Amino acid sequence: MTVTIDRTTVSGRVSSPEARLSLTSAGSVPGLLDGAWWPRSRDLSRELPALTDALDGLWGRITRVTVNPTYWPVVPRKVPVTGRMLHVGWFRDEQDPHQLILLSYTVGRWDLLVIPPETDAASAARLMAAAATPGSFRTASRLMADEAIARGATDARSREEEWETDGGAGSGGAGSSPLGVPSGLQRCAQGM
């Protein structure tokens, strides 16, 4: 089945929220990434129009986009954007799963880190700053892995601080020794 959209019959496109972007500054030292994009969902048909609206004025008319389908449940071949159709392609093995490639016939190519929509604001802010660092040679997947490690360390620190404040080791609470070993266990260990 073929579906055709006649743009003249559409009275107006539903406005979508602005794209959440972080880009390297113009003329900066080139790196592997040109910035980051934090979409609000995993629906390319819904998310790409806002992205191209934001970038067309900065980078020239975006004509093609490629993704790795690992994190996109549906990859449409074409997406209607302001007054035209945007061609969308995918590469499973050749493209980083956390990367979006934008192409323009007149200006060139840009590579963006795609931050998963469910990412918390603090992690997204760190990822956006890291991806927009001029001259960085970290790939999109490397940035995501580094953030997962940092988030894991922060979570572990939070759990440890919570444990300490709730009567964990060294708290000197009732029934524990100065070393944090419950007195009953300390007596058992001494009797052996």
Side-chain angles (χ1 to χ4, degrees):
M1 173 168 82
T2 303
V3 176
T4 305
I5 298 174
D6 181 2
R7 301 288 290 169
T8 59
T9 61
V10 178
S11 61
R13 188 172 60 127
V14 175
S15 65
S16 55
E18 287 187 18
R20 298 181 290 187
L21 286 168
S22 175
L23 305 172
T24 56
S25 55
S28 63
V29 177
L32 291 180
L33 295 170
D34 299 296
W37 175 46
W38 185 20
R40 289 174 171 77
S41 73
R42 292 191 185 277
D43 182 349
L44 284 170
S45 295
R46 173 186 266 164
E47 299 294 333
L48 286 175
L51 179 64
T52 59
D53 284 351
L55 294 176
D56 280 353
L58 296 170
W59 287 348
R61 187 174 175 169
I62 306 299
T63 55
R64 292 192 171 282
V65 172
T66 66
V67 297
N68 181 312
T70 302
Y71 297 112
W72 300 102
V74 175
V75 179
R77 295 193 44 82
K78 293 181 181 179
V79 173
V81 297
T82 308
R84 62 192 164 88
M85 295 300 276
L86 178 68
H87 296 272
V88 182
W90 60 271
F91 298 98
R92 185 173 308 279
D93 297 329
E94 298 86 357
Q95 188 168 334
D96 187 315
H98 298 286
Q99 179 183 17
L100 175 86
I101 298 174
L102 302 143
L103 302 166
S104 168
Y105 288 127
T106 57
V107 183
R109 169 185 166 157
W110 300 274
D111 295 42
L112 297 179
L113 164 69
V114 178
I115 300 170
E118 61 276 3
T119 304
D120 64 272
S123 292
R126 285 189 298 271
L127 286 164
M128 291 182 110
T133 302
S136 175
F137 287 103
R138 292 193 293 174
T139 65
S141 284
R142 180 77 254 163
L143 286 172
M144 294 301 294
D146 290 349
E147 178 59 27
I149 291 167
R151 192 174 50 249
T154 301
D155 291 347
R157 254 191 319 272
S158 295
R159 284 190 305 274
E160 183 177 330
E161 288 170 4
E162 182 179 326
W163 185 66
E164 290 289 337
T165 59
D166 287 345
S171 66
S176 69
S177 71
L179 297 175
V181 178
S183 55
L185 288 178
Q186 187 178 26
R187 281 191 297 273
C188 288
Q190 289 173 348
M192 292 184 164

